[in-house]
Amino acid sequence: MLALTLRDVRRGYAGGGAALVVAFFLLVAVLFPFAIGPDAAVLARVGGGVIWAAALLAALLPVERLVGPDLESGVLDQLRVRGVSLALVAAAKIVAHWTAFAPPLMLAAVIAAGLLDLSGATLLRVEIGLAIGTPGLAALAVATGALVAGLRGGSAVAGLVMLPLAVPLLIFGAGALDPVGGAGAFKLLGAVSLVLVAGAPFVAGAAMRAGME
């Protein structure tokens, strides 16, 4: 499982997946001020929510490459024949996906905060929220990737599956930026992320098993 995790991490970085996620994330942060105007007060008020929406969309980009290639190449069949639990394989993929996209995304959030004129306190809340919420995004992405693996037009279907399920993370992540009620939002964000991390390996494992039959 460690070898599988390291392999997927290397594939995420070497294949340009992490760079694509960061580039998309920053592109959204750059274009947003052009859409609503250069008013610093408005940008500061909505900038945190923009970062969370961009993070959600960026996490969706590599979904097709998380499970599909291993299903098509027979890697999952070989692991199953050797008695390896597919839920454990999915858990390794979640760790690998988080390692490949979350740290670069959190670094890019510092640049996005400057573009959106966020204060240091707001940036700190954004980073804490991303640290709590991105494991849930990674788990949801792997589960979605397993569900759409092998389907024609899987990327379009992945968006329809993943985005509605990620709405609680977006709501509580953006709500955590409120200095008054942010503590409660952090707790709810952590609870949702924990549920996704705990349940996604079993959902993804079942989807992989169905895809091989």
Side-chain angles (χ1 to χ4, degrees):
M1 289 302 98
L2 179 60
L4 180 62
T5 302
L6 293 176
R7 186 206 63 160
D8 282 3
V9 171
R10 286 195 300 269
R11 187 166 63 181
Y13 281 102
L20 182 63
V21 167
V22 170
F24 178 85
F25 178 79
L26 291 177
L27 183 62
V28 173
V30 169
L31 293 179
F32 187 78
F34 289 102
I36 67 169
D39 190 327
V42 175
L43 289 175
R45 187 166 62 251
V46 301
V50 172
I51 289 178
W52 263 100
L56 170 58
L57 295 174
L60 180 62
L61 289 180
V63 162
E64 265 192 305
R65 301 193 302 271
L66 296 177
V67 177
D70 285 345
L71 181 63
E72 294 170 2
S73 64
V75 171
L76 297 180
D77 290 299
Q78 291 297 321
L79 290 171
R80 187 181 183 187
V81 166
R82 295 180 183 183
V84 178
S85 167
L86 292 179
L88 189 59
V89 173
K93 286 185 172 295
I94 290 171
V95 174
H97 181 44
W98 184 89
T99 305
F101 97 95
L105 192 70
M106 293 175 68
L107 290 174
V110 177
I111 301 174
L115 295 172
L116 297 170
D117 199 29
L118 299 184
S119 65
T122 302
L123 174 59
L124 179 60
R125 287 181 169 273
V126 168
E127 294 288 5
I128 294 173
L130 288 176
I132 296 172
T134 47
L137 283 179
L140 188 55
V142 170
T144 303
L147 289 169
V148 303
L151 295 181
R152 182 177 299 177
S155 58
V157 178
L160 294 175
V161 172
M162 180 175 173
L163 292 178
L165 295 176
V167 167
L169 290 173
L170 181 63
I171 292 174
F172 297 134
L177 302 178
D178 184 2
V180 178
F186 274 131
K187 294 177 182 178
L188 292 172
L189 176 64
V192 173
S193 185
L194 183 60
V195 168
L196 290 173
V197 170
F202 300 100
V203 174
M208 292 177 194
R209 192 177 303 107
M212 289 185 288
E213 294 175 352

